[in-house]
Amino acid sequence: VSIDNKEGALQLNQYKLLDNIGQGSYGIVKLVYNEEDETHYAMKILSKKKLMKKAGVFGRMIPGKKGSANPLAKVYREIALLKKLDHPNVVKLVEVLDDPDEDNLYLVFELVHRGEILQVPTDKPLDEETARKNFRDIVMGVEYLHYQRIVHRDIKPSNLLVDSDGRIKIADLGVSTELRACGELLSGPTGTPAFAAPETTMPGVHYSGTLCDIWSMGVTLYCLVTGRIPWDGTGSIIGVQAAIRNEPLKFPEKPVISKDLRDLISRMLNKNPLERITLSEIKEHIWLTN
Ligand SMILES: COc1ccc(C(=O)/C=C\Nc2cc(OC)c(C(=O)O)cc2Cl)cc1
């Protein structure tokens, strides 16, 4: 990876780095311009040191030594898997730039032109017709990920990107933390507290990752049509988790939410994962089919 400073803009190989377009716990996402194919992309910049800490291994990375228990091997395997994912409602990883001697890892994704679906909180939530169109895309994308044995574990509006023809692509496929293979039971809190299922907040409780994604989709759908999160427990993480576990779901007076949509959201936000609506049941729900 050659880094140089052509006329003040940072250049990585054939990519000219432009504005910051995304920011999160994972790092940053920059708009980049590929001079070879004259196309813009989104480049997510990850720190290997941070990844290693998250992968639970400390100390120095052994650069390129064969067969070494290279702590980033897991991350590289995950990236290789993500490169194979191909679905219209999932962001497309096109290239990974990695210089063994450098701390940064650069993931190049196809640019999803209109960016995040909605900032929360907002006083301009989506109308139900738009939310229905968008949610159909989200359901298809999540169904594909679950089929590929990937549990997202951090579904929320900021990870839902809108492309130029209004279609939704799911982002943050988990490479910034350990791979999510569903089927295996998971434990421990992950993702964003306000969007995390109650069962993930109980210490030592093992839970099914796919059912947690359904919960997060429910919180996300609630956000899309109300502009707010359902439980905000005075802002502290413990407060949010307690509210999610104990407080009943309430809908605001305004905007008015249809009976069918309230029914669907309530079934996705069932605090008991075993009673929660499943993906195939969601696909048959009257709010999505009528
Ligand atoms: C206003 O115009 C805009 C156009 C595009 C964006 C944008 O792309 C933002 C984030 N992007 C991403 C984030 C990811 O993780 C957190 C991943 C991933 O790791 O899967 C992939 C992508 Cl692309 C923003 C504004």
Side-chain angles (χ1 to χ4, degrees):
V1 172
S2 76
I3 302 174
D4 57 51
N5 222 324
K6 279 185 192 165
E7 318 103 36
L10 201 59
Q11 180 99 9
L12 271 177
N13 294 0
Q14 74 273 35
Y15 296 98
K16 188 182 281 299
L17 274 56
L18 305 169
D19 321 331
N20 284 4
I21 54 176
Q23 180 89 33
S25 57
Y26 54 84
I28 59 165
V29 176
K30 278 183 175 291
L31 177 67
V32 298
Y33 181 71
N34 179 334
E35 293 181 326
E36 275 167 14
D37 65 5
E38 298 181 337
T39 309
H40 284 94
Y41 291 89
M43 180 186 275
K44 184 177 188 179
I45 303 175
L46 295 173
S47 149
K48 293 178 200 167
K49 281 197 202 79
K50 249 174 92 177
L51 281 176
M52 276 156 65
K53 271 209 260 322
K54 277 200 171 181
V57 275
F58 294 95
R60 267 177 44 70
M61 182 185 73
I62 310 104
K65 235 177 80 200
K66 286 286 159 277
S68 64
N70 186 333
L72 287 174
K74 195 164 167 286
V75 177
Y76 290 135
R77 262 199 317 278
E78 293 162 15
I79 288 175
L81 182 136
L82 296 185
K83 273 188 181 170
K84 277 189 258 160
L85 294 183
D86 186 16
H87 187 273
N89 300 119
V90 173
V91 290
K92 186 80 192 127
L93 177 66
V94 295
E95 182 175 13
V96 177
L97 300 181
D98 173 31
D99 181 335
D101 305 328
E102 247 237 9
D103 176 43
N104 281 344
L105 203 50
Y106 303 94
L107 306 184
V108 182
F109 292 89
E110 279 180 359
L111 182 63
V112 190
H113 288 75
R114 292 192 211 155
E116 295 173 13
I117 190 171
L118 186 87
Q119 307 278 342
V120 180
T122 175
D123 53 8
K124 296 187 190 64
L126 304 183
D127 60 270
E128 286 198 22
E129 204 37 55
T130 310
R132 174 182 291 119
K133 236 170 42 67
N134 293 168
F135 193 68
R136 282 195 183 116
D137 288 351
I138 297 163
V139 169
M140 299 318 282
V142 172
E143 185 181 51
Y144 173 77
L145 290 177
H146 286 183
Y147 181 70
Q148 302 292 331
R149 294 173 46 75
I150 289 182
V151 172
H152 191 289
R153 288 175 90 182
D154 199 8
I155 295 169
K156 57 183 176 179
S158 62
N159 282 337
L160 300 174
L161 305 176
V162 188
D163 72 10
S164 37
D165 56 8
R167 305 312 295 258
I168 301 297
K169 293 182 188 280
I170 299 171
D172 197 1
L173 298 179
V175 77
S176 53
T177 57
E178 74 288 345
L179 179 67
R180 295 77 185 257
C182 66
E184 120 214 5
L185 289 181
L186 307 164
S187 70
T190 65
T192 307
F195 292 82
E199 65 268 21
T200 69
T201 70
M202 325 274 215
V205 167
H206 284 71
Y207 51 82
S208 143
T210 48
L211 295 176
C212 298
D213 277 349
I214 302 293
W215 174 278
S216 308
M217 287 165 71
V219 177
T220 296
L221 183 52
Y222 182 100
C223 288
L224 297 185
V225 293
T226 67
R228 305 174 22 233
I229 49 175
W231 296 281
D232 60 11
T234 65
S236 78
I237 291 190
I238 306 290
V240 170
Q241 293 182 329
I244 287 168
R245 268 202 306 273
N246 308 320
E247 285 173 22
L249 175 66
K250 284 190 294 294
F251 290 96
E253 295 298 309
K254 289 275 174 248
V256 173
I257 311 290
S258 73
K259 183 177 67 64
D260 291 343
L261 179 49
R262 269 185 281 119
D263 179 74
L264 172 58
I265 292 175
S266 309
R267 292 174 190 277
M268 299 177 77
L269 298 182
N270 188 315
K271 298 184 195 294
N272 179 346
L274 301 177
E275 290 167 12
R276 200 170 296 156
I277 192 171
T278 64
L279 217 43
S280 38
E281 289 165 343
I282 290 171
K283 286 169 71 177
E284 306 299 317
H285 191 277
I286 184 163
W287 184 71
L288 273 184
T289 51
N290 78 352

